[in-house]
Amino acid sequence: KSYPAAGTAWTDLVGTADATLTNGPTFSSANLGGLVLDATDEYFALPPLSFAVDSDVTFCIWIKPTDWGGTTTAGFWRSGASGTGRYMLGIDDGVTLRGSPACKWRNVNLTIPSSGYVVPLDAWVYIVFVASYYSTTPILMYADGELKHSIAKSGGNTEAFDIHEMGWNYNSTFTIFGEWAMSSFYNRLLSAEEIVQNYN
């Protein structure tokens, strides 16, 4: 419904912000359709999708990673049209923490849990990040409806969320290697029950 299997226009079914396939993501017809990223320079560009500085946010994605690739963090989304960006959520593909969730908050730090859940390769997974703007409230990371990580932040929000790109990391060097089927943003915190409902 959102993509006609060709071209660069990916339509937002809610009507908020259509995406543009950039640098050649390809279409896969498996599982009723998905978009394949090659972990080099392919991503989805968005018009600035702004959330207020004091907004809570929830980001949800169905994804099937196929390889961790290089030695940096692959991004699910980032804010900031260029440079390092202010906020980023993704998967670490470094040597020791491959597959762990990662976040960069307020352009201050990149936080990666040292142990625990690792996103599987070659399998579809529903990943959700729930992020309060309060400095003392950790980011919660869910996979397939289950809470997997609580990721501490370095501080509260000091700038608005301007979501510019999906599938691109904070310093424009690495994208997801695998298939992308759906994403959604909320300007509030989804409850655990709502996340399970979406997953089911």
Side-chain angles (χ1 to χ4, degrees):
K1 293 181 179 180
S2 64
Y3 186 70
T8 60
W10 186 11
T11 303
D12 177 9
L13 297 180
V14 179
T16 302
D18 295 341
T20 301
L21 278 63
T22 305
N23 296 329
T26 57
F27 177 73
S28 168
S29 60
N31 287 311
L32 302 180
L35 296 167
V36 181
L37 301 177
D38 67 359
T40 55
D41 62 352
E42 296 175 354
Y43 64 95
F44 309 114
L46 294 169
L49 180 60
S50 295
F51 295 93
V53 65
D54 60 349
S55 178
D56 297 321
V57 295
T58 302
F59 174 55
C60 314
I61 177 176
W62 274 103
I63 194 167
K64 183 183 179 182
T66 56
D67 191 354
W68 297 131
T71 59
T72 187
T73 302
F76 291 139
W77 69 257
R78 73 166 190 172
S79 69
S82 61
T84 59
R86 291 185 293 275
Y87 305 94
M88 187 210 74
L89 297 171
I91 301 176
D92 182 67
D93 61 311
V95 176
T96 60
L97 299 172
R98 284 177 177 266
S100 295
C103 68
K104 190 176 181 70
W105 209 252
R106 297 187 309 141
N107 203 18
V108 174
N109 67 335
L110 179 65
T111 302
I112 306 168
S114 60
S115 62
Y117 176 78
V118 171
V119 178
L121 292 177
D122 302 313
W124 285 102
V125 59
Y126 182 60
I127 296 176
V128 177
F129 287 92
V130 181
S132 168
Y133 76 94
Y134 288 112
S135 61
T136 56
T137 305
I139 296 173
L140 303 180
M141 182 266 184
Y142 292 79
D144 293 343
E146 296 182 1
L147 178 63
K148 300 295 186 180
H149 277 300
S150 178
I151 307 171
K153 298 198 299 289
S154 60
N157 298 1
T158 56
E159 300 176 81
F161 294 93
D162 295 317
I163 312 302
H164 286 273
E165 293 153 358
M166 297 185 298
W168 200 234
N169 80 351
Y170 64 95
N171 59 1
S172 305
T173 58
F174 202 70
T175 67
I176 294 293
F177 198 120
E179 194 169 345
W180 190 298
M182 184 224 66
S183 61
S184 56
F185 294 95
Y186 297 82
N187 60 349
R188 64 183 182 87
L189 305 179
L190 289 192
S191 67
E193 292 76 16
E194 289 173 318
I195 292 169
V196 170
Q197 174 180 291
N198 282 359
Y199 169 64
N200 289 333

